Amino acid sequence: MNTKTIKHSFEDKLISVLIGIFMTCFVIVTLYPVINTVAISFNEGIDAVRGGIYLWPRKFSLKSYDTVLAMQNLLTGAKITVLRTVIGTLSALLVNALLAYVVSRKRFIFKAQLSLFWVITMYVNGGMIPVFLLYRNLHLTNSFWVYVVPGAISAWNMLVIRTYMNGLPDSLEESAQLDGAGYMTIFVKIISPLCKPVYATVALFVAVGHWNSWFDAMLYNRLKTEYTTLQYELMKLLSSVMQQSGSADSAKYNAASVTPVTIRAAATVVTMLPIICLYPFLQRYFVTGLTIGGVKE
Amino acid sequence: MAQTNVSTAKKDKKITWKEIKRQKTLLIISFFVVVYGIVFYYWPLTGWLMAFQNYKPKDGLLHSQFVGLDKFKFLFSDATFLRVIRNTFAMGALNLLTTTIMAILFAILLNEIRHSMVKKTIQTVSYLPHFLSWIIVTGILHDALSNTGIINDLLQRAGIIDQAINFFAHPKFFWPIVAFANCWKETGWNAIIYLAAITAIDPSLYEAASIDGAGRFAKIRYITMPGIKPTIIILLLMNVGNVLNAGFEVQYLLGNGLVQSVSQTIDIYVLKWGISQNDFSMGTAAGIFKSAVSIALILVCNAWAKRAGEERLF
């Protein structure tokens, strides 16, 4: 008995030590690159090129931010990104919720068929080229609406909302109908208020997707710079090694005190800042959302 | 009026005019939604015809020359395409394996932390990378692995290497870098669902095990692991079907001329042929191959899980 408890307390300590080491490494590996980027962005440009900046700027300077915030393409990109995030999220939420509402009505005639119609789209799709040609034929390329219209209904988001709605008691709908309420009234006045948590979850997923997307901007709006997104402009900035436009701009503003290294860091920080500030407060929504989504449909 | 409708609907499950009239609103919404679905999801499938044609935009789908399976024959005789298939599968499998193992490990270890503030803080930190775009993640990774970056810095200080390594110039580093990038970004996020599964395990099992003299290792091994096994299997199943879809953004953003023999995936190949070189037929053929393999993978996994008596998707 005695040896057993000794063995256990040893095992306990060993596990605690292992967890301590693992979690410390995990947190450092996760946070260090982000903090390092922030540190570099606040450093003076020429000095940053020497390297050796870790967690704190060596020579503090805000010049990189002055330069970045004066770049016209980033500002336009930010405007488009904010617009697509707001319009795209609201419209996606509305149509997915409506569709989920329809397919979760127990007595709806085409309930099964309509669900299947959308589930199929999760597994079969035309692929990049046919979709590209379709958007071009519909004149969605070189326009803002390519961000909002095609992706509005997504089977996965619809299924998450449907799962939640299926969990609501049927008696809600029945008693409202007895009172003479139509389907739209029930949707707006009774079901939707109860679905706030799942709406928040889906809105969060969609919004993050919009904020971070760049590939659609590159594929469909490369030639229309007034419609490209912030992430795509950031990608152009990060991938152009010589920073042609960047250094031209910087020459105009403040001689040589900014360099590609600090500009890139500052642009990265500006792009990730809104999300970093917001996500900790939205935790409960995505945790519940993933748990609902993981439940077998 | 409403009352009689409700009662007739309950009695009669057949489609009646009365019922259709009653469900008018639902039917109108369905109509628009189906039109939308046909236009944006089903109509592009007609584009698959291009893979069997010498598609010319001026002739359109109806009048382009029909060439049968020529495009597919060309595809499979193209050494680049074969390499692209290998890369897609290899990176897809490697990513799936490493991200799953990391997420499970993280979830189990996090669950062992008793201090709730510490636990909460670590978990919040762990979600952070998921919310950053691949543009930012690959940018950060580029900096960390550059000649003056932290990795070379540490390796040189530790005396493991004398000269800084250019990680992005060697094909042998590319797959591990991509796998690491995926783990970095998604470990905390993927762990959410495993943590939920662990929370759902009946606590009395742990109590009973303690009474029987089980230590922490034994409890993890014999209670936690079997408890989350169904979740692991269903998530693996869902993700195996997506293995081929997971090969675009990172590879596109991190790849360069020096490593393209190992970095190019099917999607990049499609983009190169279809959009950049305007050979829509080739691009579509490669895309069809990808879809066909994905669906086959899902069906095989599902059948396999069914036979093994495990959870399955449908």
Side-chain angles (χ1 to χ4, degrees):
Chain A
M1 198 62 209
N2 201 20
T3 49
K4 219 175 200 172
T5 35
I6 290 171
K7 200 184 125 214
H8 279 173
S9 66
F10 173 70
E11 200 180 307
D12 239 44
K13 281 207 184 92
L14 184 67
I15 288 201
S16 299
V17 170
L18 280 178
I19 292 171
I21 295 171
F22 180 90
M23 289 301 169
T24 312
C25 293
F26 183 88
V27 170
I28 291 175
V29 171
T30 305
L31 285 184
Y32 174 77
V34 178
I35 297 173
N36 182 243
T37 308
V38 176
I40 291 176
S41 73
F42 282 110
N43 203 73
E44 197 266 336
I46 305 285
D47 182 64
V49 180
R50 280 170 44 218
I53 295 165
Y54 300 100
L55 298 171
W56 203 253
R58 192 166 40 214
K59 270 190 181 175
F60 187 80
S61 156
L62 287 171
K63 291 269 166 58
S64 308
Y65 285 95
D66 282 348
T67 314
V68 163
L69 293 178
M71 283 180 169
Q72 205 47 55
N73 58 340
L74 285 183
L75 292 180
T76 318
K79 195 185 84 193
I80 294 294
T81 296
V82 169
L83 272 178
R84 75 174 283 182
T85 305
V86 173
I87 299 175
T89 306
L90 290 178
S91 56
L93 188 60
L94 178 69
V95 288
N96 282 313
L98 257 180
L99 176 56
Y101 173 69
V102 172
V103 295
S104 62
R105 293 310 92 203
K106 295 270 176 325
R107 284 203 308 276
F108 177 49
I109 311 169
F110 299 118
K111 182 177 148 79
Q113 292 87 335
L114 192 60
S115 292
L116 184 67
F117 178 87
W118 283 101
V119 169
I120 289 174
T121 66
M122 295 205 294
Y123 299 100
V124 187
N125 61 74
M128 199 188 298
I129 310 291
V131 167
F132 178 83
L133 293 176
L134 171 75
Y135 293 176
R136 210 171 58 178
N137 291 339
L138 293 175
H139 301 287
L140 279 169
T141 50
N142 297 323
S143 93
F144 173 77
W145 298 106
V146 74
Y147 302 135
V148 176
V149 177
I153 301 185
S154 113
W156 196 84
N157 289 333
M158 183 274 277
L159 289 175
V160 170
I161 302 179
R162 188 190 73 173
T163 309
Y164 195 89
M165 285 179 174
N166 277 340
L168 299 174
D170 299 337
S171 53
L172 286 173
E173 182 188 329
E174 281 160 17
S175 57
Q177 275 177 335
L178 289 180
D179 292 340
Y183 277 111
M184 278 318 279
T185 318
I186 298 174
F187 172 68
V188 176
K189 295 240 169 87
I190 297 171
I191 303 294
S192 286
L194 292 169
C195 285
K196 269 184 197 152
V198 76
Y199 286 178
T201 305
V202 169
L204 177 75
F205 288 155
V206 176
V208 171
H210 273 295
W211 185 266
N212 282 339
S213 75
W214 57 277
F215 185 60
D216 45 12
M218 182 177 95
L219 202 54
Y220 308 121
N221 279 338
R222 194 178 27 207
L223 305 171
K224 273 272 198 208
T225 43
E226 66 261 46
Y227 294 135
T228 52
T229 63
L230 182 58
Q231 301 285 348
Y232 179 58
E233 291 302 329
L234 179 68
M235 181 192 112
K236 287 203 290 193
L237 192 71
L238 296 185
S239 59
S240 60
V241 185
M242 292 309 291
Q243 301 290 327
Q244 294 301 347
S245 62
S247 52
D249 275 346
S250 61
K252 235 184 329 186
Y253 290 100
N254 26 43
S257 63
V258 291
T259 52
V261 180
T262 52
I263 291 201
R264 288 165 56 166
T268 304
V269 172
V270 169
T271 312
M272 66 185 176
L273 196 68
I275 278 198
I276 291 187
C277 294
L278 281 177
Y279 91 91
F281 303 102
L282 302 168
Q283 266 187 58
R284 66 193 173 103
Y285 293 117
F286 55 76
V287 173
T288 44
L290 272 187
T291 325
I292 299 169
V295 174
K296 200 170 152 183
E297 279 108 26
Chain B
M1 184 63 198
Q3 208 153 8
T4 49
N5 278 347
V6 171
S7 56
T8 43
K10 264 187 185 157
K11 264 186 278 172
D12 192 1
K13 279 216 160 182
K14 270 183 285 176
I15 302 171
T16 58
W17 277 113
K18 212 172 184 181
E19 190 63 15
I20 290 174
K21 224 170 139 187
R22 204 180 65 82
Q23 300 189 358
K24 196 175 66 198
T25 323
L26 300 183
L27 289 167
I28 293 171
I29 297 170
S30 304
F31 172 76
F32 284 110
V33 158
V34 166
V35 169
Y36 177 93
I38 288 173
V39 170
F40 286 105
Y41 287 96
Y42 287 87
W43 183 252
L45 293 174
T46 60
W48 280 14
L49 270 177
M50 285 187 287
F52 307 95
Q53 297 175 331
N54 243 337
Y55 180 78
K56 299 255 175 0
K58 67 173 165 57
D59 298 332
L61 266 184
L62 294 176
H63 302 289
S64 287
Q65 184 203 0
F66 187 75
V67 294
L69 293 173
D70 277 9
K71 295 287 169 188
F72 288 92
K73 279 183 195 143
F74 179 80
L75 214 53
F76 286 102
S77 60
D78 180 9
T80 313
F81 187 66
L82 298 178
R83 213 163 43 221
V84 160
I85 296 176
R86 179 203 64 184
N87 295 343
T88 313
F89 270 108
M91 280 187 272
L94 190 65
N95 291 343
L96 180 56
L97 202 69
T98 48
T99 51
T100 305
I101 291 173
M102 274 303 287
I104 295 169
L105 186 69
F106 178 76
I108 290 176
L109 292 185
L110 189 73
N111 187 58
E112 293 290 318
I113 296 178
R114 309 254 158 87
H115 201 296
S116 73
M117 265 296 281
V118 176
K119 195 170 168 177
K120 193 102 198 120
T121 311
I122 293 177
Q123 207 175 4
T124 306
V125 168
S126 78
Y127 301 144
L128 168 71
H130 173 81
F131 290 98
L132 305 179
S133 68
W134 274 116
I135 307 277
I136 291 176
V137 173
T138 52
I140 284 175
L141 206 60
H142 248 291
D143 290 343
L145 291 170
S146 72
N147 286 345
T148 53
I150 184 75
I151 302 295
N152 271 314
D153 195 358
L154 287 176
L155 289 175
Q156 278 170 318
R157 274 170 198 242
I160 298 169
I161 52 168
D162 306 323
Q163 284 253 295
I165 301 173
N166 184 357
F167 287 98
F168 292 101
H170 298 287
K172 65 177 172 182
F173 292 128
F174 193 78
W175 293 354
I177 289 175
V178 171
F180 173 79
N182 275 291
C183 286
W184 188 77
K185 197 170 188 293
E186 306 297 350
T187 294
W189 184 257
N190 292 344
I192 292 177
I193 211 148
Y194 294 113
L195 279 163
I198 294 175
T199 321
I201 296 172
D202 185 357
S204 66
L205 290 176
Y206 290 102
E207 285 157 25
S210 297
I211 295 165
D212 288 345
R216 276 170 97 182
F217 272 123
K219 279 189 251 177
I220 292 173
R221 170 76 185 76
Y222 295 105
I223 299 174
T224 313
M225 293 288 272
I228 60 173
K229 197 177 144 203
T231 312
I232 297 176
I233 288 176
I234 197 154
L235 285 183
L236 275 176
L237 274 181
M238 284 168 78
N239 291 326
V240 164
N242 267 324
V243 154
L244 297 186
N245 283 326
F248 180 72
E249 286 188 74
V250 208
Q251 288 87 342
Y252 182 83
L253 293 168
L254 284 179
N256 59 58
L258 293 170
V259 293
Q260 65 172 349
S261 64
V262 292
S263 73
Q264 282 205 339
T265 61
I266 297 177
D267 284 327
I268 297 176
Y269 187 87
V270 172
L271 186 71
K272 213 180 95 191
W273 276 96
I275 310 289
S276 310
Q277 307 204 9
N278 266 313
D279 189 335
F280 295 139
S281 295
M282 280 293 285
T284 309
I288 291 177
F289 171 77
K290 196 188 87 168
S291 291
V293 173
S294 290
I295 293 168
L297 276 176
I298 293 171
L299 295 177
V300 167
C301 284
N302 209 49
W304 171 76
K306 194 174 178 180
R307 190 173 304 165
E310 301 289 355
E311 300 261 347
R312 57 181 196 278
L313 277 179
F314 37 74

